[in-house]
């Protein structure tokens, strides 16, 4: 793979949160989700990242390739369109 979507970067840009708010467990918590599976399990981490991506799409995020490898160097891919964003996710409010 020479191009990919860095979900942490997309999440931070979309919800307008600082990088220290883009750790997997924090992203899930901010979206009102809990971690499913065993921490640091590649398969379980991937499933949880997919859950975040689905939620971002539901919230209106247009996920785009934002990183690539060129000449052995990691490069950021800029979006050709304007940055889209949504308010930072809030913990769900439970109705009584």
């Amino acid at each position: 793979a020479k191009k990919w979507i860095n979900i942490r970067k997309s999440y931070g840009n979309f919800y307008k949160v600082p990088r220290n708010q883009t750790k997997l467990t924090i992203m899930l918590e901010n979206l009102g989700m809990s971690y499913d599976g065993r921490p640091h399990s590649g398969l379980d981490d991937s499933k949880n990242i997919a859950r975040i991506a689905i939620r971002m799409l539901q919230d209106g995020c247009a996920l785009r390739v934002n990183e690539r490898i060129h000449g052995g160097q990691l490069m950021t891919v800029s979006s050709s369109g304007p940055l889209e964003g949504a308010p930072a996710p809030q913990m769900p409010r439970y109705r009584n």
Side-chain angles (χ1 to χ4, degrees), residues 6-19:
N6 179 328
I7 290 293
R8 290 180 67 188
K9 187 180 287 187
S10 294
Y11 177 97
N13 289 335
F14 184 69
Y15 293 115
K16 309 277 192 263
V17 297
R19 183 152 172 80

Side-chain angles (χ1 to χ4, degrees), residues 51-96:
R51 292 172 54 220
I52 291 168
I54 290 167
R55 173 62 183 277
M56 290 175 66
L57 292 168
Q58 290 170 339
D59 285 349
C61 180
L63 293 173
R64 297 183 184 127
V65 169
N66 57 14
E67 288 186 349
R68 68 184 176 106
I69 293 288
H70 180 71
Q73 298 288 336
L74 174 64
M75 304 186 78
T76 295
V77 176
S78 62
S79 170
S80 59
L83 281 178
E84 299 173 24
Q90 302 294 316
M91 290 297 292
R93 291 192 178 106
Y94 297 99
R95 296 180 184 162
N96 294 330

Side-chain angles (χ1 to χ4, degrees), residues 24-25 28 33-41 44-45 48 51:
L24 182 55
T25 54
L28 287 164
M33 301 177 197
S34 59
Y35 188 91
D36 286 344
R38 295 177 320 208
H40 308 296
S41 159
D44 291 336
D45 284 353
N48 284 288
R51 292 172 54 220

